[in-house]
Amino acid sequence: MKRLWPVSLALFALVVTGCDEGGGGEGSSASAPAISAPAIVDGGLRESQPEEADRKEVVTGYLEMDAGDPVATGRRVVTVVEEAGGRVDSLTEQPEASSVLTVRVPADRLDEVVDEIRTLGRVTSLSTTRDDVTMQYTDLEARVGALRASVDRLRALLESSADVEALIAAETALAERQAELDSLEAQRRQLGDRIELSTLTVDITTDRLPSEQDSFWDGLVAGWNSLWAALGAAVVGIGAAIPWVAFLFVCAGILYLVIRLITRRGRSSGTTGTPDTERTDSDA
């Protein structure tokens, strides 16, 4: 019996401890929702915000507008874009007719630039396209990271290996991996540039008809220009017709010579046949 007392006391202590832990567990489980639920919600919000911030988009836009002086308006567009930190990729100007620009604008300032360009003329059309390239950019980053790690391992192998065959194989693999890594990094840089700088095409045309003139002098100048244009067109037409006229003249001369030769042969054959006819008549 004396030996059973310590065992009984030990079992009793274990039971009491188990009950205390079970009660504490229930209390913690009961109070867990009130504490952990907001943490989960907050955690979800914290995770969704980086996802929105890390979203990669390629934005392109096309804007058509009318202006009194398309060339001057186009140059003002260049100023607006450069002040916003962008650049001009292409510019085509036709005086008093049109101006077409392809500009690159920081993506976070595209709306601001478009709103400022609107004030330079009358906008007739505006369209924007957003392409989500998050997966493509993430994939490129992952592949670049994996290839960079592989290149580092191969370089370490080259430094530590003493086997000639292993060195040759490692150098060949390193060259292939390095070329692939350079290509992927170039693709990532190009895609990153398209993400950071949105592309906007601005097509500016004149809102004046060619026949509209503001004053007598404008009409006189327009008439003089049209006269010179007509004379120039006439001179060009004459120049284009001269080779054909010369060719037709040569053809007519050749035809005339052929007809003359045929006529002479006919006359000569007729004169040679006349004496024979007279002799026949006299014999009869």
Side-chain angles (χ1 to χ4, degrees), residues 7-255:
V7 176
S8 300
L9 291 173
L11 291 174
F12 179 75
L14 290 174
V15 171
V16 172
T17 304
C19 291
D20 292 339
E21 291 179 353
E26 291 176 358
S28 62
S29 62
S31 61
I35 299 174
S36 61
I40 294 173
V41 173
D42 293 339
L45 291 175
R46 285 194 298 269
E47 291 177 0
S48 62
Q49 290 174 357
E51 288 179 359
E52 292 295 332
D54 293 340
R55 185 177 180 182
K56 308 296 183 182
E57 290 183 337
V58 175
V59 183
T60 56
Y62 185 81
L63 187 148
E64 291 183 354
M65 61 186 302
D66 294 337
D69 190 346
V71 174
T73 304
R75 293 174 182 174
R76 292 176 64 186
V77 170
V78 172
T79 302
V80 171
V81 170
E82 291 178 348
E83 289 178 351
R87 68 172 188 263
V88 179
D89 281 356
S90 66
L91 172 62
T92 303
E93 294 180 347
Q94 294 182 356
E96 300 181 0
S98 66
S99 180
V100 181
L101 306 90
T102 300
V103 299
R104 305 293 304 280
V105 182
D108 56 348
R109 302 195 63 181
L110 178 61
D111 295 337
E112 176 186 346
V113 170
V114 170
D115 290 340
E116 192 167 353
I117 292 175
R118 283 175 177 269
T119 63
L120 303 179
R122 185 176 66 89
V123 176
T124 59
S125 176
L126 174 62
S127 62
T128 57
T129 303
R130 295 180 177 270
D131 295 330
D132 191 346
V133 294
T134 306
M135 295 300 295
Q136 182 180 355
Y137 189 82
T138 304
D139 179 66
L140 282 174
E141 282 192 329
R143 294 171 64 186
V144 166
L147 279 174
R148 186 176 289 115
S150 178
V151 168
D152 293 339
R153 288 194 299 268
L154 287 172
R155 287 176 177 171
L157 179 62
L158 285 174
E159 294 176 356
S160 61
S161 178
D163 187 2
V164 177
E165 294 182 357
L167 287 173
I168 294 174
E171 287 179 353
T172 303
L174 178 60
E176 294 177 354
R177 298 290 174 83
Q178 186 65 49
E180 187 176 358
L181 176 61
D182 294 340
S183 176
L184 289 178
E185 287 181 340
Q187 294 179 28
R188 187 181 64 174
R189 286 193 300 269
Q190 182 181 9
L191 184 59
D193 180 72
R194 294 173 58 196
I195 293 171
E196 293 178 1
L197 296 176
S198 301
T199 303
L200 178 65
T201 301
V202 183
D203 189 353
I204 309 171
T205 56
T206 182
D207 56 359
R208 294 173 51 186
L209 296 176
S211 60
E212 292 181 353
Q213 307 299 332
D214 295 333
S215 63
F216 172 79
W217 177 255
D218 292 336
L220 181 61
V221 172
W224 182 259
N225 292 333
S226 63
L227 174 61
W228 276 108
L231 291 176
V235 170
V236 171
I238 293 172
I242 286 176
W244 289 97
V245 172
F247 175 74
L248 294 175
F249 182 77
V250 172
C251 292
I254 294 173
L255 182 62

